Amino acid sequence: MNLLGRIEDLPADYVAALKTQNLVPLWPSLRALLPPDKPQPQTRATHWSYEALRPLLLKAGELTPIDKAERRVLVLANPGHGLEKMQASAAIYLGMQLLLPGEWAPAHRHTPNAVRMIVEGEGAYTTVDGQKCPMGRGDLILTPTGLWHEHGHDGERPVVWLDVLDLPLVHYLEASYHVDGPRQSVQPGRGDLVHAIGGVVPSPLFERSDKGYPMLRYPWAQTRAALETLATAQPESAAVQVSYVNPATGGDAQNILGYYALMLRPGQPLRLPMRSPASVFHLIDGSVDVTVEDQSFTLAEADTCCAPGYTAVQLANRSPEHPAFLFIADETPLHRKLGVFENRG
Ligand code: GTQ
């Protein structure tokens, strides 16, 4: 690779003259923009321990009342991007949100898409597009772009969930904004129940629903049952994984980020292929070792970690007796739509 000219190689008055015209020479930055063979991501493999963050989140509950926070969230920020950027990867934002009994996080809608993966507690609900979605551990609840959503809590104990948004991407596109709204009136309708059986969708009088997002809540009991059934139907060596999809189209549940659940059999090691999108791993149940290139983490329950794209990730269930269950978020739908998706095996 030949060495390209540096900015210091140019006469200072020439560089100054370029600057006055808002011009920049490409060649000193060409290799940084287009590095050889593979990207040089800022996203760093990072682990967030739930045991470590939980007391800090509960402390936020004491320090900041909900009306001073609107959303009481500690952001899981990737140091590779700089913590102030509040992003886990180029396109993924992660936050742990706390709602205390009796609190209400008021209605708004925004351009970024969100999902919630419920971590602990009972009695909270989120109302999305008029549908009241109960929040239980392991449930996945969608808040697609533009839909009204608010969170309430009728239970006795704190409720915590993981927010996953495509906010860094939408913000980068200068398309991120929100609108506040009044409390929603709850409409009848349970997309989670009427779409609970795979292979059939509601079609009254031969018409399919024209809702872009007919299913907003994916109950954990159903997802887990699907994984356990799949495990009995597949050879021991096969990965036991399901994708969260839009049941009306079979396509990804959301447009930008992809969501999956993975079961590791007792003791199972699993090497994930080296693919272009960055990914996030959140442990719902069990104990799992994660290796991303030269870094290793042990995920305890409710821990979260991320891995940059173009890296192979190794997972291993530490338990010789029990299966482990992971929730995964990644940038695959985005990469595929943009035509930059790669799987290098
Ligand atoms: O609950 O609506 O973590 O609007 C960040 C932005 C959560 C939410 C976040 C949000 C929300």
Side-chain angles (χ1 to χ4, degrees):
M1 188 174 66
N2 63 332
L3 279 182
L4 299 177
R6 300 169 307 162
I7 196 94
E8 303 84 55
D9 300 336
L10 296 169
D13 61 341
Y14 175 70
V15 173
L18 291 178
K19 203 169 172 184
T20 64
Q21 298 306 311
N22 296 322
L23 296 170
V24 180
L26 172 63
W27 56 98
S29 305
L30 187 57
R31 295 284 182 255
L33 288 175
L34 296 166
D37 305 324
K38 81 185 220 13
Q40 291 176 340
Q42 283 177 269
T43 302
R44 243 188 255 161
T46 306
H47 171 220
W48 294 272
S49 152
Y50 190 62
E51 193 185 8
L53 77 78
R54 186 178 185 275
L56 297 168
L57 187 57
L58 291 175
K59 188 77 187 169
E62 292 170 28
L63 295 172
T64 307
I66 192 70
D67 46 309
K68 288 274 180 262
E70 229 170 85
R71 299 295 191 263
R72 194 190 291 107
V73 175
L74 293 180
V75 178
L76 281 51
N78 193 305
H81 287 271
L83 298 183
E84 70 288 351
K85 291 281 175 57
M86 296 198 281
Q87 58 193 99
S89 74
I92 306 176
Y93 157 104
L94 300 172
M96 278 285 180
Q97 182 159 173
L98 170 69
L99 199 65
L100 295 172
E103 286 185 337
W104 180 60
H108 71 187
R109 57 187 170 92
H110 42 67
T111 44
N113 297 274
V115 301
R116 337 249 162 234
M117 166 51 52
I118 316 311
V119 174
E120 71 165 281
E122 278 162 31
Y125 57 89
T126 180
T127 304
V128 185
D129 195 28
Q131 271 200 50
K132 188 169 177 174
C133 302
M135 294 170 127
R137 188 173 137 76
D139 293 346
L140 183 76
I141 297 173
L142 307 188
T143 308
T145 179
L147 298 192
W148 293 107
H149 56 283
E150 64 200 71
H151 316 305
H153 190 351
D154 299 332
E156 310 285 321
R157 315 266 319 144
V159 164
V160 178
W161 63 83
L162 176 69
D163 289 316
V164 186
L165 280 80
D166 48 28
L167 179 57
L169 176 77
V170 179
H171 186 257
Y172 175 75
L173 296 175
E174 300 186 336
S176 179
Y177 72 94
H178 93 284
V179 180
D180 288 325
R183 196 166 194 140
Q184 297 170 76
S185 52
V186 173
Q187 309 294 320
R190 286 293 296 263
D192 55 342
L193 301 181
V194 295
H195 291 97
I197 298 170
V200 292
V201 296
S203 61
L205 298 178
F206 312 102
E207 294 294 333
R208 300 267 191 96
S209 166
D210 57 1
K211 284 199 164 177
Y213 301 92
M215 186 166 172
L216 296 170
R217 174 173 183 264
Y218 297 72
W220 174 238
Q222 282 173 21
T223 309
R224 184 177 173 135
L227 287 167
E228 287 168 344
T229 304
L230 194 54
T232 63
Q234 299 217 128
E236 287 273 313
S237 58
V240 184
Q241 185 173 3
V242 293
S243 294
Y244 289 94
V245 297
N246 178 328
T249 65
D252 298 307
Q254 289 189 339
N255 284 328
I256 296 177
L257 301 182
Y259 303 103
Y260 319 85
L262 176 74
M263 174 180 146
L264 294 173
R265 301 167 195 271
Q268 185 184 2
L270 185 68
R271 182 187 173 280
L272 303 181
M274 191 187 285
R275 301 173 327 127
S276 54
S279 345
V280 166
F281 302 88
H282 172 81
L283 190 66
I284 296 176
D285 204 353
S287 175
V288 168
D289 285 328
V290 182
T291 303
V292 185
E293 289 188 333
D294 57 352
Q295 275 181 278
S296 291
F297 316 114
T298 296
L299 295 185
E301 271 170 33
D303 284 6
T304 306
C305 71
C306 72
Y310 293 90
T311 52
V313 175
Q314 315 257 7
L315 305 172
N317 183 354
R318 291 166 64 85
S319 169
E321 287 155 33
H322 303 290
F325 294 91
L326 290 147
F327 169 63
I328 303 175
D330 78 1
E331 301 165 336
T332 296
L334 173 67
H335 280 221
R336 286 196 190 278
K337 287 190 174 83
L338 297 182
V340 299
F341 179 86
E342 277 187 55
N343 183 339
R344 295 191 177 180

